[in-house]
Short mmCIF file of all heavy atoms in Angstrom, two decimals:
data_model
loop_
_atom_site.label_atom_id
_atom_site.label_comp_id
_atom_site.label_asym_id
_atom_site.label_seq_id
_atom_site.Cartn_x
_atom_site.Cartn_y
_atom_site.Cartn_z
N THR N 1 40.72 95.11 73.96
CA THR N 1 41.15 95.84 75.17
C THR N 1 41.41 94.88 76.33
O THR N 1 42.42 95.00 77.05
CB THR N 1 40.05 96.86 75.63
OG1 THR N 1 39.82 97.72 74.50
CG2 THR N 1 40.46 97.70 76.84
N ASP N 2 40.51 93.88 76.52
CA ASP N 2 40.67 92.94 77.56
C ASP N 2 41.97 92.16 77.39
O ASP N 2 42.66 91.84 78.40
CB ASP N 2 39.55 91.95 77.68
CG ASP N 2 38.30 92.70 78.19
OD1 ASP N 2 38.40 93.76 78.79
OD2 ASP N 2 37.21 92.11 77.99
N LEU N 3 42.27 91.74 76.14
CA LEU N 3 43.48 90.98 75.84
C LEU N 3 44.77 91.86 76.10
O LEU N 3 45.73 91.35 76.71
CB LEU N 3 43.48 90.47 74.48
CG LEU N 3 42.47 89.43 74.09
CD1 LEU N 3 42.72 88.90 72.65
CD2 LEU N 3 42.53 88.25 75.11
N LEU N 4 44.67 93.11 75.77
CA LEU N 4 45.79 93.95 75.94
C LEU N 4 46.09 94.18 77.43
O LEU N 4 47.22 94.25 77.82
CB LEU N 4 45.56 95.30 75.31
CG LEU N 4 45.71 95.37 73.76
CD1 LEU N 4 45.10 96.67 73.20
CD2 LEU N 4 47.15 95.21 73.40
N LEU N 5 45.07 94.20 78.25
CA LEU N 5 45.19 94.45 79.64
C LEU N 5 45.38 93.12 80.41
O LEU N 5 45.54 93.11 81.64
CB LEU N 5 43.99 95.21 80.19
CG LEU N 5 43.78 96.62 79.75
CD1 LEU N 5 42.54 97.22 80.21
CD2 LEU N 5 44.99 97.48 80.13
N GLY N 6 45.29 91.98 79.71
CA GLY N 6 45.34 90.68 80.42
C GLY N 6 46.62 90.44 81.23
O GLY N 6 46.63 89.67 82.19
N SER N 7 47.75 91.06 80.83
CA SER N 7 48.98 90.81 81.47
C SER N 7 49.46 92.05 82.27
O SER N 7 50.65 92.11 82.73
CB SER N 7 50.04 90.40 80.50
OG SER N 7 49.72 89.17 79.89
N THR N 8 48.60 93.01 82.52
CA THR N 8 49.01 94.17 83.28
C THR N 8 48.99 93.91 84.78
O THR N 8 48.50 92.92 85.20
CB THR N 8 48.08 95.35 82.94
OG1 THR N 8 46.75 95.06 83.32
CG2 THR N 8 48.09 95.68 81.46
N ALA N 9 49.52 94.90 85.54
CA ALA N 9 49.45 94.77 86.95
C ALA N 9 48.03 94.92 87.41
O ALA N 9 47.19 95.44 86.79
CB ALA N 9 50.32 95.95 87.55
N THR N 10 47.79 94.38 88.62
CA THR N 10 46.37 94.37 89.09
C THR N 10 45.82 95.75 89.33
O THR N 10 44.64 95.94 89.35
CB THR N 10 46.34 93.60 90.46
OG1 THR N 10 47.21 94.15 91.35
CG2 THR N 10 46.74 92.13 90.24
N ASP N 11 46.70 96.73 89.47
CA ASP N 11 46.25 98.11 89.72
C ASP N 11 46.19 98.94 88.49
O ASP N 11 46.14 100.16 88.57
CB ASP N 11 47.08 98.78 90.80
CG ASP N 11 48.58 98.87 90.39
OD1 ASP N 11 48.93 98.21 89.39
OD2 ASP N 11 49.27 99.61 91.01
N ALA N 12 46.26 98.26 87.32
CA ALA N 12 46.21 99.00 86.00
C ALA N 12 44.92 99.65 85.93
O ALA N 12 43.84 99.11 86.24
CB ALA N 12 46.52 98.08 84.88
N ILE N 13 44.94 100.89 85.38
CA ILE N 13 43.71 101.66 85.13
C ILE N 13 43.17 101.33 83.77
O ILE N 13 43.88 101.46 82.78
CB ILE N 13 44.00 103.17 85.28
CG1 ILE N 13 44.50 103.46 86.67
CG2 ILE N 13 42.72 103.98 84.99
CD1 ILE N 13 44.93 104.93 86.92
N ARG N 14 41.96 100.90 83.68
CA ARG N 14 41.28 100.56 82.41
C ARG N 14 41.03 101.83 81.66
O ARG N 14 40.38 102.74 82.16
CB ARG N 14 40.03 99.79 82.60
CG ARG N 14 39.35 99.37 81.26
CD ARG N 14 38.13 98.61 81.57
NE ARG N 14 38.39 97.37 82.21
CZ ARG N 14 38.78 96.28 81.57
NH1 ARG N 14 38.89 96.27 80.25
NH2 ARG N 14 39.04 95.13 82.23
N PRO N 15 41.56 101.95 80.41
CA PRO N 15 41.29 103.19 79.63
C PRO N 15 39.82 103.29 79.17
O PRO N 15 39.19 102.22 79.04
CB PRO N 15 42.26 103.02 78.46
CG PRO N 15 42.42 101.61 78.27
CD PRO N 15 42.34 100.99 79.68
N THR N 16 39.39 104.47 78.94
CA THR N 16 38.04 104.64 78.51
C THR N 16 37.83 104.39 77.02
O THR N 16 36.81 104.06 76.55
CB THR N 16 37.52 106.08 78.80
OG1 THR N 16 38.41 107.01 78.23
CG2 THR N 16 37.49 106.31 80.33
N THR N 17 38.96 104.50 76.26
CA THR N 17 38.90 104.29 74.83
C THR N 17 40.13 103.54 74.37
O THR N 17 41.16 103.59 75.02
CB THR N 17 38.77 105.62 74.01
OG1 THR N 17 39.97 106.33 74.25
CG2 THR N 17 37.59 106.45 74.39
N LEU N 18 39.97 102.84 73.32
CA LEU N 18 41.10 102.06 72.82
C LEU N 18 42.24 102.99 72.28
O LEU N 18 43.42 102.65 72.43
CB LEU N 18 40.72 101.16 71.64
CG LEU N 18 41.68 100.12 71.14
CD1 LEU N 18 42.13 99.20 72.31
CD2 LEU N 18 41.18 99.37 69.97
N ALA N 19 41.89 104.20 71.88
CA ALA N 19 42.91 105.10 71.35
C ALA N 19 43.90 105.48 72.46
O ALA N 19 45.03 105.67 72.21
CB ALA N 19 42.25 106.36 70.75
N SER N 20 43.34 105.61 73.69
CA SER N 20 44.27 106.04 74.78
C SER N 20 44.96 104.83 75.35
O SER N 20 45.76 104.92 76.32
CB SER N 20 43.44 106.70 75.86
OG SER N 20 42.49 105.82 76.42
N LEU N 21 44.70 103.63 74.82
CA LEU N 21 45.28 102.42 75.39
C LEU N 21 46.72 102.20 75.00
O LEU N 21 47.48 101.60 75.75
CB LEU N 21 44.46 101.22 74.99
CG LEU N 21 44.85 99.86 75.50
CD1 LEU N 21 44.74 99.79 76.97
CD2 LEU N 21 43.93 98.74 74.86
N ALA N 22 47.16 102.65 73.81
CA ALA N 22 48.46 102.27 73.22
C ALA N 22 49.60 102.48 74.21
O ALA N 22 50.35 101.59 74.35
CB ALA N 22 48.64 103.08 71.98
N PRO N 23 49.78 103.66 74.86
CA PRO N 23 50.97 103.77 75.68
C PRO N 23 50.88 102.82 76.89
O PRO N 23 51.86 102.20 77.27
CB PRO N 23 50.84 105.22 76.21
CG PRO N 23 50.03 105.95 75.13
CD PRO N 23 49.00 104.91 74.72
N GLN N 24 49.67 102.63 77.44
CA GLN N 24 49.56 101.73 78.59
C GLN N 24 49.81 100.33 78.17
O GLN N 24 50.48 99.48 78.84
CB GLN N 24 48.18 101.79 79.19
CG GLN N 24 47.87 103.17 79.88
CD GLN N 24 46.58 103.09 80.64
OE1 GLN N 24 46.34 102.13 81.34
NE2 GLN N 24 45.73 104.10 80.52
N SER N 25 49.28 99.93 76.97
CA SER N 25 49.38 98.52 76.56
C SER N 25 50.86 98.20 76.21
O SER N 25 51.35 97.12 76.51
CB SER N 25 48.54 98.22 75.35
OG SER N 25 48.85 99.12 74.29
N ALA N 26 51.57 99.16 75.66
CA ALA N 26 52.98 98.89 75.33
C ALA N 26 53.76 98.64 76.62
O ALA N 26 54.58 97.82 76.69
CB ALA N 26 53.52 100.15 74.60
N GLN N 27 53.43 99.43 77.67
CA GLN N 27 54.14 99.27 78.92
C GLN N 27 53.73 97.99 79.55
O GLN N 27 54.49 97.25 80.10
CB GLN N 27 53.81 100.43 79.87
CG GLN N 27 54.53 100.32 81.19
CD GLN N 27 54.15 101.54 82.09
OE1 GLN N 27 53.27 102.35 81.76
NE2 GLN N 27 54.85 101.61 83.23
N ALA N 28 52.39 97.63 79.43
CA ALA N 28 51.92 96.37 80.04
C ALA N 28 52.59 95.14 79.52
O ALA N 28 52.90 94.22 80.23
CB ALA N 28 50.40 96.33 79.84
N PHE N 29 52.80 95.21 78.15
CA PHE N 29 53.42 94.02 77.56
C PHE N 29 54.94 94.05 77.59
O PHE N 29 55.60 93.20 77.09
CB PHE N 29 52.97 93.80 76.12
CG PHE N 29 51.61 93.19 75.99
CD1 PHE N 29 50.44 93.94 75.87
CD2 PHE N 29 51.45 91.80 75.98
CE1 PHE N 29 49.16 93.39 75.69
CE2 PHE N 29 50.24 91.22 75.86
CZ PHE N 29 49.14 91.94 75.75
N GLY N 30 55.51 95.07 78.23
CA GLY N 30 56.95 95.13 78.31
C GLY N 30 57.63 95.64 77.11
O GLY N 30 58.75 95.27 76.79
N VAL N 31 57.01 96.49 76.24
CA VAL N 31 57.63 96.99 75.04
C VAL N 31 58.85 97.76 75.51
O VAL N 31 58.77 98.51 76.51
CB VAL N 31 56.62 97.98 74.32
CG1 VAL N 31 57.39 98.73 73.22
CG2 VAL N 31 55.50 97.16 73.73
N PRO N 32 60.08 97.67 74.85
CA PRO N 32 60.19 97.01 73.58
C PRO N 32 60.31 95.52 73.52
O PRO N 32 60.34 94.92 72.47
CB PRO N 32 61.45 97.69 72.97
CG PRO N 32 62.26 97.96 74.17
CD PRO N 32 61.32 98.34 75.25
N GLY N 33 60.44 94.85 74.66
CA GLY N 33 60.52 93.41 74.63
C GLY N 33 59.26 92.69 74.29
O GLY N 33 59.25 91.86 73.46
N LEU N 34 58.17 93.06 74.95
CA LEU N 34 56.86 92.45 74.71
C LEU N 34 56.94 90.95 74.65
O LEU N 34 56.44 90.28 73.78
CB LEU N 34 56.23 92.99 73.49
CG LEU N 34 54.68 92.85 73.34
CD1 LEU N 34 53.97 93.69 74.38
CD2 LEU N 34 54.23 93.11 71.98
N GLU N 35 57.58 90.37 75.66
CA GLU N 35 57.89 88.94 75.57
C GLU N 35 56.93 88.05 76.29
O GLU N 35 57.23 86.92 76.58
CB GLU N 35 59.33 88.70 76.05
CG GLU N 35 60.37 89.28 75.21
CD GLU N 35 60.29 88.98 73.76
OE1 GLU N 35 59.73 87.91 73.41
OE2 GLU N 35 60.74 89.77 72.96
N ARG N 36 55.71 88.57 76.67
CA ARG N 36 54.79 87.68 77.34
C ARG N 36 54.33 86.52 76.39
O ARG N 36 53.73 85.57 76.86
CB ARG N 36 53.61 88.50 77.79
CG ARG N 36 53.93 89.45 78.95
CD ARG N 36 54.45 88.65 80.18
NE ARG N 36 53.47 87.73 80.68
CZ ARG N 36 52.59 87.99 81.57
NH1 ARG N 36 52.50 89.25 82.09
NH2 ARG N 36 51.73 87.13 82.01
N GLY N 37 54.54 86.66 75.12
CA GLY N 37 54.14 85.66 74.17
C GLY N 37 54.81 84.36 74.50
O GLY N 37 54.24 83.26 74.35
N GLY N 38 56.05 84.36 75.00
CA GLY N 38 56.72 83.11 75.29
C GLY N 38 56.67 82.69 76.75
O GLY N 38 57.16 81.67 77.10
N GLY N 39 56.03 83.49 77.56
CA GLY N 39 56.03 83.22 78.98
C GLY N 39 54.97 82.20 79.43
O GLY N 39 54.26 81.71 78.59
N PRO N 40 54.84 81.95 80.70
CA PRO N 40 53.91 80.89 81.16
C PRO N 40 52.45 81.38 81.06
O PRO N 40 52.23 82.54 80.97
CB PRO N 40 54.31 80.65 82.62
CG PRO N 40 55.02 81.92 82.99
CD PRO N 40 55.67 82.45 81.81
#
């Protein structure tokens, strides 16, 4: 959960369960691009 939220905006709301994390995490990593892997 911490890794998924590691690149989110500072005001991101931490989900209470991992199951509810998927939509937020996809947005956080820029899905469909999800290109933070190559970023700084």
Side-chain angles (χ1 to χ4, degrees):
T1 302
D2 291 342
L3 292 186
L4 285 167
L5 293 176
S7 298
T8 60
T10 55
D11 60 347
I13 300 174
R14 181 178 295 276
T16 56
T17 64
L18 189 59
S20 64
L21 181 61
Q24 294 190 45
S25 60
Q27 182 179 9
F29 277 97
V31 170
L34 199 71
E35 295 308 335
R36 290 302 297 271

